[in-house]
Amino acid sequence: MRKYVSEFLGTFLLVFIGTSSVVIARGSVLTIALAFGLAVTISAYAFGGISGGHFNPAVTTAMWLNKRIGLADAIGYIVSQIIAACLASWLVQLFAKGLGQAANQLGQTDFPKISVGLAFTVETLATFLFLTIILNVTSKEHGNSDFAGLIIGLTLALMIVFSLNLTGGSLNPARSIGPALFAGGSALSHLWLYVVAPEVGAIIAAYVSKFLLQSED
C-alpha cells in the first residue's frame, strides 16, 4: 500500500503543479516545462525510494515489460496514478472557478493546429525519448541513482518545450486523463491518442533499452 500511496502523491504533485502553471499562473512555455519537470524531480526524490517513482502509466508499462515490476503492482500503480490525476484536475478546476476563470480550461492536452497523425508521432517520439532516458539512467548496470531524479525532470522539461505547442506535451496518459475528464470537449474526444501514443512510445523504449542498450539486468 505504501507504494501505491507514493505513486498517488507523486502523480498528484505532477499534475497539480504542472497544470496549475498553465491555468492559474498562466506561464510561458519555459515556465510550464519547468513546473512539470521540477514536480517530477521533487516527487522522484521524495517518493522514488518507496515506489520507484513512476508517476506515469507509460513508465509503469515500460518497467513491467522489462520485468522491473510485477503485473499486480503495475495495475495498482496505474490505478493510483489515474485517481491522483483526476483529484488534481478537480482541485485545479475548483481554484480556477474561484478566480472567475473558465471551468473547462484546465491545462488539458489537445492538438488544434496539427493532424492526428502528426500528433500521434509527436507524442510517441517524445515519450520514447523520455522513457529511454528513464530506463537507462535508472539501470543497475550503468545508471546513476544519485542524479536520476534530476536527469528525468530535466528530460521531461525539454520534451515539453519541444512538444507543448504541438500536442500540449503530455507523454503521460494520467496527466491527460485527469484534465480531459473535467474539461470535456475535444480534449476528451482526443483522449485516446494521449493514452495510446505514450504507451506505444514506452513499449518501443522498453525494447530498445533491453535489447540494444542492454540496460536490463
Side-chain angles (χ1 to χ4, degrees):
M1 184 58 69
R2 291 173 63 242
K3 292 182 289 187
Y4 305 148
V5 171
S6 294
E7 284 298 306
F8 176 91
L9 292 173
T11 308
F12 175 86
L13 188 64
L14 169 66
V15 177
F16 181 72
I17 296 299
T19 57
S20 289
S21 72
V22 179
V23 178
I24 297 172
R26 299 179 179 270
S28 65
V29 170
L30 184 58
T31 299
I32 295 166
L34 288 175
F36 278 103
L38 289 173
V40 163
T41 297
I42 292 167
S43 295
Y45 286 116
F47 308 116
I50 300 172
S51 67
H54 296 188
F55 319 133
N56 181 339
V59 174
T60 299
T61 296
M63 294 293 184
W64 172 67
L65 286 172
N66 284 3
K67 301 187 184 335
R68 296 195 196 180
I69 186 174
L71 180 59
D73 274 341
I75 293 171
Y77 276 31
I78 291 172
V79 171
S80 298
Q81 292 156 4
I82 292 172
I83 293 173
C86 290
L87 177 60
S89 296
W90 176 75
L91 285 172
V92 170
Q93 184 183 60
L94 181 67
F95 298 145
K97 287 180 179 178
L99 289 172
Q101 297 176 191
N104 63 348
Q105 296 300 313
L106 303 176
Q108 63 266 33
T109 49
D110 207 349
F111 48 94
K113 300 178 182 178
I114 61 177
S115 67
V116 172
L118 188 57
F120 196 97
T121 300
V122 169
E123 283 294 315
T124 301
L125 174 62
T127 308
F128 163 72
L129 295 173
F130 182 44
L131 264 294
T132 299
I133 296 298
I134 290 175
L135 290 167
N136 283 276
V137 79
T138 59
S139 167
K140 290 182 180 178
E141 181 70 22
H142 55 255
N144 189 326
S145 59
D146 292 335
F147 292 98
L150 179 60
I151 294 167
I152 291 167
L154 288 173
T155 303
L156 178 59
L158 291 173
M159 290 300 105
I160 291 175
V161 167
F162 145 64
S163 59
L164 187 67
N165 288 329
L166 293 166
T167 62
S170 177
L171 294 73
N172 182 336
R175 177 263 179 271
S176 289
I177 289 171
L181 290 179
F182 287 90
S186 62
L188 187 58
S189 63
H190 291 158
L191 182 58
W192 67 270
L193 185 144
Y194 292 97
V195 173
V196 177
E199 291 291 346
V200 171
I203 291 167
I204 297 171
Y207 283 101
V208 166
S209 296
K210 185 172 184 178
F211 295 110
L212 297 182
L213 301 178
Q214 297 182 345
S215 67
E216 304 307 308
D217 298 329

